[in-house]
């Protein structure tokens, strides 16, 4: 049985913390471990880390992946999720009320600047939310001129792309921000390094998030450098903790443990596949029934995740990409 909690609407962060007068690294931090639950601010995360711990970070940068479009004469949005090896894209058609589930193979959607998109086939059997599609122009150029960051109903305002980038962002490719790393700042990273905390990079390009309860993650492109894998092994051999910054970093690391260090991963961490390399995770707070919760359980166990979320609801932490952050530690 997965964890259970009710999420009041007022706990959804509706704007970047900076717009609320809070620094990036000033968001609240909930730390849960076998020793108990503690409440702090993210700028003090070093108090819960030790010299020799390794933070593994995702260097994927966020794309302006939402584009206005026209379908049968009506305005909609297209969310560009994932570029595929054959040049096609995985896309989602949306209105403000949610995803459109009545797409048809061969249907064309009008895009800005005279471009068009053609739906080919649903990505998953039994679901018509995500489609494989071809586009008449180069998508990166289209996004650069007509795209904006993907946002959902709990964020009513429009915010620049810079608000959706982390300090580690280097390689564009994520449809949505790998948001667990958002509270890190250059000065905080510098301070942690001087205290002996280690950092290692990898890349996993995230697709669009899943709005349907219980929907598993889609396949995502990743790359774990050999130096990162070697550092993970070295830290573990010396008793240090390997802490993934975000579910994306955890998925990439554990995928590399299963085989190749690069390619496409369909790995779903959960009760049937617990984490083997990751001892802890820095992560935002996820909605009830999100598949990410199973990943957290795979890292630190269901009981600890339940205690953390109960405390977060009780203390009125803020959820989603602009919200507060947790540090969950198995040991």
């Amino acid at each position: 049985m997965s964890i259970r909690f009710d999420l009041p609407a007022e706990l959804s962060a509706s704007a970047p913390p900076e717009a609320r007068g809070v620094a990036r690294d000033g968001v609240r931090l909930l730390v849960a471990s076998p020793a108990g639950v503690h409440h702090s601010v993210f700028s003090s995360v070093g108090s819960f880390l030790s010299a020799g711990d390794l933070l593994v970070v995702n260097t994927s940068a966020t794309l302006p992946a939402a584009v206005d479009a026209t379908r049968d004469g009506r305005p909609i949005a297209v969310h560009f999720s994932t570029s595929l090896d054959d040049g096609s894209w995985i896309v989602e058609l949306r209105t403000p009320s949610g995803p459109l589930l009545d797409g048809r193979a061969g249907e064309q959607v009008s895009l800005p600047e005279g471009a068009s998109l053609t739906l080919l086939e649903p990505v998953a059997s039994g679901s018509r939310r995500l489609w494989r599609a071809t586009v008449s122009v180069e998508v990166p150029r289209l996004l650069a001129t007509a795209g904006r960051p993907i946002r959902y109903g709990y964020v009513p305002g429009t915010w620049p792309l810079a608000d959706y980038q982390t300090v580690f962002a280097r390689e564009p490719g994520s449809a949505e921000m790998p948001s667990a790393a958002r509270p890190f700042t250059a000065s905080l990273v510098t301070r942690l390094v001087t205290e002996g905390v280690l950092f290692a990079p990898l890349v996993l390009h995230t697709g669009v998030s899943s709005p349907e309860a219980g929907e598993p993650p889609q396949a995502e492109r990743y790359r774990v450098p050999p130096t990162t894998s070697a550092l993970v092994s070295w830290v573990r051999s010396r008793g240090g903790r390997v802490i993934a910054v975000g579910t994306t970093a955890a998925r990439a690391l554990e995928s590399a443990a299963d085989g190749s260090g690069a390619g496409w991963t369909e790995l779903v961490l959960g009760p049937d596949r617990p984490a083997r390399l990751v001892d802890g995770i820095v992560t935002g707070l996820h909605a009830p029934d999100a598949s990410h919760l199973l990943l957290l359980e795979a890292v630190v166990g269901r009981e600890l995740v339940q205690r953390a979320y109960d405390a977060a609801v009780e203390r009125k932490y803020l959820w989603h990409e602009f919200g507060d952050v947790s540090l969950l530690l198995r040991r």
Side-chain angles (χ1 to χ4, degrees):
M1 182 178 68
S2 187
I3 71 168
R4 290 289 182 265
F5 63 95
D6 293 322
L7 179 60
E10 64 267 21
L11 298 188
S12 294
S14 59
E18 297 93 318
R20 308 192 302 267
V22 177
R24 273 198 179 221
D25 61 2
V27 296
R28 285 183 290 176
L29 173 68
L30 184 152
V31 181
S33 73
V37 175
H38 303 276
H39 304 279
S40 186
V41 294
F42 195 79
S43 58
S44 298
V45 66
S47 301
F48 304 95
L49 303 173
S50 301
D53 285 344
L54 174 64
L55 296 179
V56 182
V57 300
N58 186 0
T59 61
S60 179
T62 311
L63 297 169
V67 174
D68 290 327
T70 304
R71 182 193 191 213
D72 297 330
R74 297 188 299 274
I76 65 167
V78 176
H79 289 181
F80 286 87
S81 177
T82 307
S83 64
L84 300 177
D85 294 335
D86 63 359
S88 62
W89 278 74
I90 295 175
V91 302
E92 180 186 40
L93 308 184
R94 291 187 71 94
T95 67
S97 59
L100 293 167
L101 305 177
D102 58 349
R104 307 178 302 275
E107 178 182 3
Q108 287 199 335
V109 174
S110 298
L111 299 170
E113 304 174 7
S116 63
L117 173 153
T118 303
L119 300 181
L120 300 179
E121 60 187 359
V123 172
S125 176
S127 173
R128 302 176 75 84
R129 182 176 73 88
L130 298 176
W131 285 76
R132 189 170 71 87
T134 56
V135 186
S136 64
V137 296
E138 293 184 1
V139 172
R141 182 176 65 81
L142 175 68
L143 299 184
T145 58
R148 62 181 183 278
I150 289 175
R151 61 185 173 92
Y152 297 107
Y154 54 83
V155 180
T158 300
W159 302 98
L161 185 61
D163 284 338
Y164 292 84
Q165 303 293 10
T166 75
V167 70
F168 305 110
R170 294 295 181 273
E171 183 176 322
S174 283
E176 298 184 19
M177 174 176 51
S179 57
R182 192 183 191 279
F184 283 94
T185 62
S187 60
L188 176 56
V189 171
T190 300
R191 186 164 76 244
L192 292 173
V193 169
T194 63
E195 294 170 354
V197 176
L198 306 172
F199 285 80
L202 53 73
V203 175
L204 184 141
H205 294 312
T206 70
V208 297
S209 61
S210 298
E212 299 174 9
E215 187 176 23
Q218 299 296 318
E220 293 170 317
R221 185 183 281 110
Y222 78 102
R223 185 175 70 256
V224 179
T227 50
T228 293
S229 295
L231 189 53
V232 167
S233 297
W234 183 81
V235 166
R236 291 180 61 82
S237 73
R238 297 178 64 88
R241 295 176 296 187
V242 176
I243 300 169
V245 178
T247 57
T248 59
R251 192 184 197 198
L253 265 186
E254 295 291 337
S255 297
D258 276 355
S260 171
W264 291 89
T265 178
E266 296 183 355
L267 176 65
V268 178
L269 292 170
D272 297 330
R273 171 52 169 93
R276 299 169 185 166
L277 298 180
V278 178
D279 301 302
I281 186 166
V282 176
T283 179
L285 295 163
H286 304 287
D289 296 320
S291 60
H292 297 84
L293 295 174
L294 290 177
L295 187 151
L296 302 185
E297 292 180 31
V299 174
V300 299
R302 189 194 68 81
E303 182 181 353
L304 193 146
V305 177
Q306 184 71 66
R307 279 194 282 128
Y309 273 72
D310 287 344
V313 172
E314 180 183 1
R315 293 291 189 102
K316 299 188 184 302
Y317 277 65
L318 294 180
W319 256 249
H320 303 306
E321 66 269 25
F322 292 140
D324 298 313
V325 182
S326 63
L327 169 60
L328 307 180
L329 297 169
R330 183 162 56 193
R331 58 183 178 90

